[in-house]
Amino acid sequence: MTSTPPASPAFLAAYDETVAATWPPGTAPTAVPTPYGTTHLNSYGPEDAPPLLLLPGGGATSTAWYAQAAALGRTHRVHAADLIGEPGRSTAGERPIRSVDDLRGWLDALLDGLGATEPVALAGHSYGGWIALHYALHAPDRLRKLILLDPTGCFSGFRPGYLLHALPMLLRPNAARTRAFLDWETGGAALDPHWLRLREEAAGFPSARPVTGPRPKPEALRALAVPTLVLLAGGSRAHDADRVAAAAHRLLPRAETAVLPDVSHHALPLHAPTAPELNRRMGEFLA
């Protein structure tokens, strides 16, 4: 991830409209400076409650966590972050994010900036799950609980068909290709119209190349002592959910795994019919 130009006014307007329309009253913006740039978070819940940091999937922005903020914000101070270099209101700094070590350093600085002196709960969806798992392997003592929501690149690779469908959107992103890809992957699921408009505007966001890398080594996963909840989308076209769940259960010594039926990879975590069950499982695990 490298320094990027400013976001367009249309993207920023869609972002603010999505937060106003979907996030609960009392949501506050939080800006945390780090050596890698300023991280923007949408924060909700009692300020003295245990912190819960949420990382979105690629291109999804922190706004996708609105249903979890409303539910889990009753017992936690929820902080949903925009990834630096990805669509959102975070801004890149002089030090670019170019490696997994940089992502780990960014999260170290972010937790420091949030004043996290005790272990926190960390959750990530898709690419955000990949980042969260790498951070857990780097700094397990800073985490109380870890939640991975249909994580990609952690326990298995992508299905070839998924990559083929995603390729046009990745090579020449625009709103129409983004919408067509989401319709295909979600099976035409009804997604929040504000978030969907923002997701389409994100196609023109001046994003940097995301950090990618190999899956964590099995021996590293077997040594991870952080209690972990892995929730998979039963209708995911990104990978085989049952195989991912089995691999996570086999490799992580303190993992709970479950497959949520009738929801796809990109419909999470904002799929309205699935959100109550998703929030229940997350809440019980965090309690």
Side-chain angles (χ1 to χ4, degrees), residues 157-179:
F158 287 100
R159 281 174 166 159
Y162 176 87
L163 296 176
L164 285 174
H165 277 86
L167 192 60
M169 180 186 67
L170 297 174
L171 291 178
R172 297 183 64 185
N174 60 42
R177 287 178 174 177
T178 297
R179 182 63 176 267

Side-chain angles (χ1 to χ4, degrees), residues 23 29 37 41 53 126 137 144 167 184 193 203 223 226 239 256 263:
W23 277 66
L41 307 102
L53 178 60
S126 187
L137 295 171
R144 182 175 66 87
L167 192 60
W184 168 78
V226 178
H239 47 219
E256 300 176 24
V263 64

Side-chain angles (χ1 to χ4, degrees), residues 77-121:
R77 180 64 173 175
V78 174
H79 298 288
D82 289 329
L83 303 177
I84 292 179
E86 286 275 319
R89 282 190 165 273
S90 292
T91 56
E94 294 184 0
R95 184 186 300 183
I97 295 179
R98 291 176 173 165
S99 67
V100 173
D101 283 342
D102 291 330
L103 287 169
R104 293 165 174 161
W106 165 64
L107 281 172
D108 275 332
L110 180 56
L111 291 180
D112 290 343
L114 289 171
T117 58
E118 298 292 330
V120 306

Side-chain angles (χ1 to χ4, degrees), residues 45-72:
E47 294 188 6
D48 59 349
L52 168 61
L53 178 60
L54 304 173
L55 305 180
T61 77
S62 64
T63 64
W65 293 103
Y66 61 83
Q68 288 66 52
L72 302 178

Side-chain angles (χ1 to χ4, degrees), residues 8-238:
S8 71
F11 173 85
L12 296 176
Y15 186 103
D16 292 343
E17 289 172 9
T18 301
V19 173
T22 61
W23 277 66
T27 297
T30 304
V32 179
T34 77
Y36 302 92
T38 299
T39 304
H40 176 92
L41 307 102
N42 290 302
S43 302
Y44 176 75
E47 294 188 6
D48 59 349
L52 168 61
L53 178 60
L54 304 173
L55 305 180
T61 77
S62 64
T63 64
W65 293 103
Y66 61 83
Q68 288 66 52
L72 302 178
R74 302 187 188 103
T75 55
H76 288 74
R77 180 64 173 175
V78 174
H79 298 288
D82 289 329
L83 303 177
I84 292 179
E86 286 275 319
R89 282 190 165 273
S90 292
T91 56
E94 294 184 0
R95 184 186 300 183
I97 295 179
R98 291 176 173 165
S99 67
V100 173
D101 283 342
D102 291 330
L103 287 169
R104 293 165 174 161
W106 165 64
L107 281 172
D108 275 332
L110 180 56
L111 291 180
D112 290 343
L114 289 171
T117 58
E118 298 292 330
V120 306
L122 175 64
H125 170 231
S126 187
Y127 176 54
W130 182 82
I131 297 172
L133 180 58
H134 276 284
Y135 186 73
L137 295 171
H138 159 72
D141 292 343
R142 299 205 71 171
L143 300 185
R144 182 175 66 87
K145 297 286 181 71
L146 175 66
I147 299 175
L148 306 177
L149 187 58
D150 215 49
T152 52
C154 294
F155 308 103
S156 73
F158 287 100
R159 281 174 166 159
Y162 176 87
L163 296 176
L164 285 174
H165 277 86
L167 192 60
M169 180 186 67
L170 297 174
L171 291 178
R172 297 183 64 185
N174 60 42
R177 287 178 174 177
T178 297
R179 182 63 176 267
F181 176 73
L182 290 175
D183 283 345
W184 168 78
E185 201 284 325
T186 66
L191 304 177
D192 180 86
H194 299 92
W195 180 85
L196 190 56
R197 180 196 162 209
L198 175 62
R199 189 66 178 80
E200 292 173 350
E201 289 289 346
F205 190 91
S207 301
R209 183 184 297 274
V211 174
T212 57
R215 295 196 292 274
K217 294 182 179 179
E219 54 268 29
L221 294 175
R222 293 190 182 103
L224 184 62
V226 178
T228 303
L229 175 65
V230 184
L231 296 175
L232 284 306
S236 175
R237 295 195 178 192

